[in-house]
Amino acid sequence: FATTPSTGGSAIGVGVDQELISSVPSHNPTFLARNFTDAEIVYCRAQPSPPSSFAARWVGKEAVFKSLGVKSKGAAAAMKDIEILNDELGIPTVRLHGEAKLKAEERGIGKVLISLSHSETVAVAFAQASS
Amino acid sequence: FATTPSTGGSAIGVGVDQELISSVPSHNPTFLARNFTDAEIVYCRAQPSPPSSFAARWVGKEAVFKSLGVKSKGAAAAMKDIEILNDELGIPTVRLHGEAKLKAEERGIGKVLISLSHSETVAVAFAQASS
Amino acid sequence: FATTPSTGGSAIGVGVDQELISSVPSHNPTFLARNFTDAEIVYCRAQPSPPSSFAARWVGKEAVFKSLGVKSKGAAAAMKDIEILNDELGIPTVRLHGEAKLKAEERGIGKVLISLSHSETVAVAFAQASS
C-alpha cells in the first residue's frame, strides 16, 4: 500500500504585487474597516510604521488573490476575506474566509504561503498557492 | 501499484525581475516586433496603459528565463520564445516556444507559473518552474 | 512497493525582500566582512556594479531567512550563514552554513531556490524553501 504522502505541495498559482506605501490610504478608517480584519488592524497599528504595515498587508492580499487565480474586487469587501497575521514565530500566515476560501477549495488549493517586504517607499508581496 | 500521481510540482527554479517602466522602449516598433508575439502586442495595446503592460511582460519574460536556468539573450529574438498571455480567467499564462521550450524539456520542467505587477513607475514579475 | 519518488518539493516557505541599493553600505569593509563570505566578496567585486551585486545578495540573504521561517539577526554574523554563489551556469545558488543550516534541517527543508534582480536603484530577491 502506498502511504500517499499528504505532502501535496504541487504549485497551483503564484502572485506578486507592489504598491507605493503612500498610495495606500491607511489613514482612512473606512478604508481600513472595509479591507482589514480587526486583528490585522490591531497588529498593524502596533508596528513601528503602521502605514508600511498596512501597505504590506494590502499588497499581500492582492498577491494572494492572484495566486488563487481570482481577480480581487479592488477596494471591495472581498479583501477582508484574505487575512494575513503573524504566527507565534512572527511568520506572516494566510487565513482565507468567505468567497476566497470557497474559491481556493474549488481549485484544490490547500496552502497559501506569503512573504511581505517594504522599503521606505514601496511595499511588495509574494504569494504561492499549492495543493 | 502506486498510481504515481501526475502532480509533479517539484520546484525546479524561480525567477524575479523588475525594471523601470520608462526604461522599456515600448514605443519602438522594432523592439516590439523582435521581443513580443503578435498576440502579446495586440493584448498590450488594448490595455489602459500599454507601456506598463509591455514592461510587465518584458520583466515577465526575463523572470521566466531565470526560472528555466538559462540566461536570456537580452534584446535578442529569444525573448519571443517566452509568450505570456492571459487565459480566459485573466490569469497570465506562460507558453514556451523554440529554444526556451527545448531547454525546459531538457531540465524536466513541465509548468511555469507567472505573476506580473506594475506600480506607476516599476514593473515586477515572478516566475516559478516546476516538474 | 511504492517507489517513494524522492521528488520532495513540497513548498515550506517563501521569502521576498527589497532594499534601495544606496542603503546597503557595501563600501564599508567591516560590513562586508561580517555579512559576506570571502567567495561572495570576490564575486561581487568582479561584477560591473559591485554595489548592486552586494545589495542583491544582501536582500537575497534576507529573503532566504524569511523562507526558512527564522528572523535574521539584521547586520549580525548570521547573514554569513547564507551563502549565495552562482553555479557553473550562472544561476544563483544557496548554500547554508551554521545555525541557518540547522534550522533548515529542523524544518525538513532540503532545498532553497533563489532569484535576484536589481534595477538602477532597487535590489529585490525571492526565495523558496521546499522539502
Side-chain angles (χ1 to χ4, degrees):
Chain A
F1 46 88
T3 57
T4 46
S6 66
T7 54
S10 187
I12 292 177
V14 294
V16 67
D17 199 54
Q18 58 167 349
E19 200 77 64
L20 282 171
I21 292 169
S22 61
S23 76
V24 177
S26 57
H27 48 82
N28 179 337
T30 308
F31 171 79
L32 294 187
R34 283 181 69 182
N35 294 295
F36 295 85
T37 67
D38 291 348
E40 288 178 319
I41 293 171
V42 167
Y43 173 83
C44 290
R45 287 220 168 113
Q47 294 310 109
S49 166
S52 303
S53 296
F54 280 117
R57 259 156 189 77
W58 176 258
V59 295
K61 288 165 186 262
E62 189 65 52
V64 171
F65 268 119
K66 290 181 175 181
S67 78
L68 298 180
V70 292
K71 304 231 163 193
S72 78
K73 294 170 186 169
M79 292 297 261
K80 223 168 165 169
D81 283 352
I82 314 288
E83 184 174 39
I84 304 175
L85 291 171
N86 290 14
D87 69 10
E88 64 281 4
L89 294 169
I91 304 172
T93 304
V94 177
R95 206 176 308 170
L96 303 178
H97 307 282
E99 279 183 59
K101 188 177 180 179
L102 291 174
K103 199 72 194 174
E105 283 165 0
E106 249 179 66
R107 297 199 64 212
I109 292 167
K111 183 166 62 170
V112 183
L113 297 172
I114 186 94
S115 184
L116 311 174
S117 171
H118 52 80
S119 66
E120 276 179 48
T121 55
V122 176
V124 62
F126 173 75
Q128 179 182 326
S130 57
S131 57
Chain B
F1 45 86
T3 57
T4 45
S6 66
T7 54
S10 186
I12 292 178
V14 293
V16 66
D17 199 54
Q18 57 166 348
E19 200 79 63
L20 281 171
I21 293 168
S22 61
S23 76
V24 177
S26 57
H27 48 81
N28 179 337
T30 308
F31 171 78
L32 295 186
R34 284 181 69 183
N35 294 296
F36 294 85
T37 68
D38 291 348
E40 287 177 321
I41 293 170
V42 166
Y43 173 83
C44 290
R45 286 219 170 114
Q47 295 309 109
S49 165
S52 302
S53 296
F54 280 117
R57 260 156 188 78
W58 176 257
V59 296
K61 288 164 185 261
E62 189 65 53
V64 171
F65 267 119
K66 289 181 176 181
S67 79
L68 298 180
V70 292
K71 302 231 163 192
S72 78
K73 294 170 185 168
M79 292 298 262
K80 223 169 166 167
D81 283 353
I82 313 289
E83 185 173 39
I84 304 175
L85 291 171
N86 289 15
D87 69 10
E88 64 281 3
L89 293 170
I91 304 172
T93 304
V94 177
R95 206 176 309 169
L96 303 178
H97 307 282
E99 280 183 59
K101 190 178 180 180
L102 291 175
K103 198 71 193 178
E105 284 165 0
E106 250 177 66
R107 297 199 64 211
I109 292 166
K111 182 166 63 169
V112 182
L113 297 172
I114 186 92
S115 184
L116 310 174
S117 171
H118 52 78
S119 67
E120 277 179 48
T121 55
V122 175
V124 62
F126 174 75
Q128 178 181 328
S130 57
S131 58
Chain C
F1 45 86
T3 56
T4 47
S6 66
T7 53
S10 186
I12 292 177
V14 293
V16 66
D17 199 55
Q18 57 167 349
E19 200 79 63
L20 282 171
I21 293 169
S22 61
S23 78
V24 177
S26 57
H27 48 81
N28 179 339
T30 308
F31 171 79
L32 294 187
R34 283 180 69 182
N35 294 296
F36 294 85
T37 67
D38 291 348
E40 288 178 320
I41 292 171
V42 166
Y43 173 83
C44 290
R45 287 220 169 113
Q47 294 310 108
S49 165
S52 303
S53 296
F54 280 117
R57 260 156 188 77
W58 177 258
V59 296
K61 288 164 186 261
E62 190 65 52
V64 171
F65 267 118
K66 290 181 176 179
S67 78
L68 298 180
V70 292
K71 303 230 162 190
S72 77
K73 294 170 185 167
M79 292 299 260
K80 223 168 166 167
D81 283 352
I82 313 288
E83 185 173 38
I84 304 175
L85 291 171
N86 289 14
D87 69 10
E88 63 281 4
L89 294 169
I91 305 172
T93 305
V94 177
R95 205 176 309 170
L96 302 178
H97 306 283
E99 280 183 59
K101 189 177 180 180
L102 292 174
K103 199 71 193 176
E105 283 165 0
E106 251 178 64
R107 297 199 64 212
I109 292 167
K111 183 164 64 169
V112 183
L113 297 172
I114 186 94
S115 185
L116 310 175
S117 171
H118 52 79
S119 67
E120 277 179 48
T121 54
V122 176
V124 62
F126 173 75
Q128 179 182 327
S130 57
S131 57

